[in-house]
Amino acid sequence: MYQFQFQSGSEADTFRLGAALARHLPDGAVVALIGTLGAGKTRLVQAIAEGCGVDRRDVVSPTFVLVHEYPGERMLYHIDAYRLKDEDEFLELGPEEYFESDGITLIEWADRVEDCLPPERLEVRIEVIGEEKRVFELVASGRKYEAALDALAASLRAE
Amino acid sequence: MRILTIETTCDETAAAVIGDNLEVLGSVVASQDELHHMYGGVVPEIASRAHLERILPVIDETLRRSGVALADLDAVAVANTPGLAGSLLVGLVAAKALCVAADLPLIAINHLQAHVYACRISAGCEVFPCVGMIVSGGHSSLYRCRTALEFDLLGSTIDDAAGEAFDKVASMLGLPYPGGPAIQKAAETGNPKAYRFPRSLLGDREVLDFSFSGLKTAVRYTIAGPGKPDFGNIHLNETQVADLAASFQEAVVDCLVGKAMLALEKTGLNTLCVGGGVAANSRFRTRLGEEAERYGVALHAAPLHLCTDNAVMGAIAVERFRAGCFESLDLDVLPGLVRNKG
């Protein structure tokens, strides 16, 4: 499976998706988050972090600080490209170090730095369809992400 | 006593020389607003490159204005937490080099504590113990400040900082950066009750945290509805912009003022010190003043020129000097947020 769509009617649904991602993302996963202002990118990161044993209140927007690191059961790297002018500025943050680690790297506004991302990754496009309602379009590139998406879809259907 | 203080945590390169009685012998803030204006935000790479270019001229100019030579200093103090890693490093390395060159002790400044200390400087008298509030682009936090140097975190934002919300809502409304002054100005002619935006967590008396991301999303939804809006192409008339700005600002101010008063009530303290860039917002200051009077608490809001980042508030180093809190030369930067420590 390369693609999986998840409809979220509330933040509770988003937290279910986050928990499933936390269970099924492979070590060293890179997750590109794409969506407009207020789409819920940081919310999804909070949900994944909670699934990794991080207090969700510790997860705040990295817009100003650029990178947050959260040590949980798995290491999480939370990057925000909102204020970056170009891809060179992103590369100056040393993202390869995060990509090559065993932790999970989550990048908000990833569409702004697309060419700097590893070709194998999970892309999450978030669409706003109602005040609370969101559609999450998950697209896997690479076999380990395809396998993860298969397992994720199966576990969400079984819930 | 003369202490050189250095501040490079985010977008300002600043230095000051502070004396025994917190008097400012000289102060320079090399504002980078012009550079940032071109890119609609705090552009970090530009910030750290500009820090590198400016740090030595800023220190030289500060010493010149102070009429103090390097050899006349008693210590060098630098903000090493929290902030952008690359920016913090520029200030820290400069401070260490000066310490080695002039054989001076090194003092570490916590940038957030310094924001609260800005209130102590302008008060001209003791303000501790107090509730300390820092509201800026990167932070929205409440502390119980036992002394100038002992802070316990009471609550902070669980998603976006207040200043960040101002910036992002300003960009949705087509207003310029920085968003705070732009929204304040647009709100002057607006009706704060035109739109009913959410006040997340305000009703929850158990917590002293803030949440501004739901408010940001509500403004976005009001302006653009579902889908992927191109905010550059949404036409709002002047009244709509003014009403949206005023209603948004009122929601932020309600949350900030409400939680500040709750913090005073919960801690039993009767002094409130407020610093950070958002503390310059006039509606926020007015409302704080009204509530402080109603509750009979002493309010110290940082003077406008000490709300945004500066090195004068690094005068907190005088307290550390007196307490004998010096650092070794392997002091590192701590870029991260400080939820679990003061």
Side-chain angles (χ1 to χ4, degrees), chain A residues 36-38 43 46 57-61 63-66 68 82-83 85 89 92 127-128 130-131 134, chain B residues 39 41-45 84 137 157-160 164 167-168 171-172 209 217 220-221 226-228 337 339:
Chain A
T36 60
L37 281 170
R43 272 292 180 269
Q46 289 180 331
R57 297 184 316 154
D58 286 346
V59 180
V60 293
S61 167
T63 294
F64 268 71
V65 184
L66 293 180
H68 285 156
Y82 180 73
R83 291 179 185 276
K85 177 174 53 111
E89 291 190 344
E92 285 204 6
E127 182 116 24
V128 179
E131 201 156 359
R134 302 288 185 269
Chain B
Y39 304 109
V42 179
V43 183
E45 195 272 340
L84 305 176
T157 182
I158 58 166
D159 39 52
D160 296 356
E164 177 184 346
D167 281 339
K168 287 184 172 170
S171 95
M172 293 180 209
D209 290 333
T217 303
R220 174 226 180 276
Y221 205 79
K228 293 177 199 162
L337 297 175
R339 188 165 183 95

Side-chain angles (χ1 to χ4, degrees), chain B residues 98-175:
Chain B
L98 290 172
C99 287
V100 171
D103 194 21
L104 294 170
L106 178 66
I107 296 175
I109 295 170
N110 177 315
H111 176 73
L112 298 177
Q113 292 184 347
H115 267 304
V116 172
Y117 202 75
C119 302
R120 164 70 184 83
I121 300 165
S122 63
C125 62
E126 195 51 79
V127 297
F128 301 100
C130 67
V131 167
M133 184 177 205
I134 300 112
V135 203
S136 65
H139 308 279
S140 300
S141 313
L142 283 162
Y143 290 90
R144 179 204 298 266
C145 312
R146 298 175 191 279
T147 68
L149 303 176
E150 292 170 293
F151 282 40
D152 306 322
L153 186 66
L154 297 170
S156 64
T157 182
I158 58 166
D159 39 52
D160 296 356
E164 177 184 346
F166 269 98
D167 281 339
K168 287 184 172 170
V169 167
S171 95
M172 293 180 209
L173 294 176
L175 297 171

Side-chain angles (χ1 to χ4, degrees), chain B residues 282-304:
Chain B
S282 61
R283 180 70 187 143
F284 180 38
R285 291 174 89 90
T286 303
R287 288 280 308 281
L288 274 174
E290 289 167 3
E291 292 298 298
E293 199 177 323
R294 201 154 72 85
Y295 282 79
V297 298
L299 171 68
H300 299 283
L304 293 182

